DNA sequence: CACTAACCGGAGTGGCACCCCGTTTGTCAA
DNA sequence: TTGACAAACGGGGTGCCACTCCGGTTAGTG
């Protein structure tokens, strides 16, 4: 990778982070390119799809989230995912959109999968749920409660059920 | 309302129903107008916002759903809502987007609210949930599982909780 | 039948995603 | 240091979109 290419890549990523934080997952790619000081063609060359750009934007933070799986209970970790998803514009939407074969979704599945397996072996969690079910549920809640303080409450509700 | 205005209104609604069923909540309004044989200005005059058009498209079906609240248990009714939301392109997205003051959301709240109150008085449901929580949850699941067969399973999971 | 308010729709504006291709630039070997 | 070439760039083009303006048309009324 040539030095100017790497420089532009970083600039685009920085501009995208800022813009996505304000506008969400459907931010204008043109504006991101403009803010980054590159032509729109350059943006499209580095990130062939909008999804690819979003994955890059969220990658680091998702990694942190995955690392926390080692220190939290399953329920607490899911709540952490919900909170981050709800407060980070565009993340939930980008996670739900496509089953990207090797992206943030996979990282979360791996981290949460281990956590879930342990909890199931300890008999704390029913055996008929998969990690993908829980992540889908949590992301759905994050998406629905975007910017609201309800994400954690609703996640907890979904994990506990509606019976007394 | 003049007769030609009413006629165009109906045509637009029909075209919109067809298009939204295929494309989803972000269908092209231009194409809808074209299919309906009217100018785009006419569409915008009758439906000032995209949301207004979607509300009109889904209104009848949501009414049916509300009527079913009289014959079903709360859980079954929520599953019906989930199923309809997941199989009807664009509905879940349009219900979650804005807290429209007097639209489909309100109809569902009213119908479900009565159902919930009864269930809570019977002690079947915890007292600290509101109907809006449950609808948000169900719509979130519908949105996340768009076109998938998982909507009902995940809804049931969320209602029952994750413990054995 | 004439008149007017309601209604219509084509054309215009500004924005967007995405791509083509002539031009520039980094790199490396001579 | 210099030359050559692949790699990367970006302006400009295309086609689509939402939304609005305004001159022309039509339905209904007396």
């Amino acid at each position: 990778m040539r030095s100017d290419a790497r420089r532009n890549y970083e600039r685009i990523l920085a501009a995208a982070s800022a813009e996505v934080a304000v506008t969400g997952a459907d931010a204008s790619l043109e504006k991101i390119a403009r803010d980054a000081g590159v032509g729109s063609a350059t943006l499209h060359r580095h990130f062939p799809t909008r999804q690819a750009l979003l994955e890059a934007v969220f990658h680091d933070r998702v990694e942190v989230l995955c690392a926390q799986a080692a220190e939290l209970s399953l329920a607490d970790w899911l709540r952490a995912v919900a909170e981050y998803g709800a407060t980070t514009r565009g993340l939930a939407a980008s996670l739900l959109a496509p089953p990207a074969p090797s992206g943030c979704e996979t990282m979360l599945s791996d981290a949460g999968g281990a956590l879930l397996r342990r909890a199931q072996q300890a008999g704390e969690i029913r055996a008929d749920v998969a990690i993908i079910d829980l992540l889908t549920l949590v992301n759905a809640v994050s998406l629905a409660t975007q910017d609201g303080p309800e994400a954690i409450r609703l996640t907890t509700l979904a994990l506990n059920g509606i019976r007394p």
Side-chain angles (χ1 to χ4, degrees), chain A residues 16-106:
Chain A
S17 297
E19 188 60 22
V20 167
V22 178
T23 312
D26 43 6
S28 158
L29 302 182
E30 296 267 303
K31 175 160 172 47
I32 290 172
R34 241 179 290 129
D35 289 356
V38 302
S40 58
T42 300
L43 186 147
H44 286 284
R45 202 175 312 113
H46 281 294
F47 304 97
T49 69
R50 163 177 247 102
Q51 187 59 23
L53 178 57
L54 291 173
E55 295 259 340
V57 164
F58 295 128
H59 180 273
D60 289 2
R61 199 55 173 63
V62 167
E63 222 164 32
V64 171
L65 218 41
C66 289
Q68 294 183 346
E71 313 156 11
L72 297 175
S73 74
L74 179 65
D76 284 341
W77 183 73
L78 288 173
R79 272 187 281 265
V81 174
E83 168 136 50
Y84 180 54
T87 55
T88 306
R89 258 186 223 275
L91 175 58
S94 105
L95 284 176
L96 281 176
S102 121
C104 296
E105 179 87 41
T106 316

Side-chain angles (χ1 to χ4, degrees), chain A residues 78-150:
Chain A
L78 288 173
R79 272 187 281 265
V81 174
E83 168 136 50
Y84 180 54
T87 55
T88 306
R89 258 186 223 275
L91 175 58
S94 105
L95 284 176
L96 281 176
S102 121
C104 296
E105 179 87 41
T106 316
M107 292 168 57
L108 289 170
S109 282
D110 292 348
L115 208 47
L116 173 62
R117 222 169 303 120
R118 260 188 287 134
Q120 283 176 328
Q121 277 165 8
E124 297 161 10
I125 308 287
R126 3 190 318 192
D128 64 345
V129 299
I131 185 62
I132 190 68
D133 296 335
L134 298 178
L135 286 175
T136 303
L137 212 49
V138 163
N139 280 325
V141 169
S142 298
L143 187 57
T145 60
Q146 202 71 291
D147 297 321
E150 312 283 41

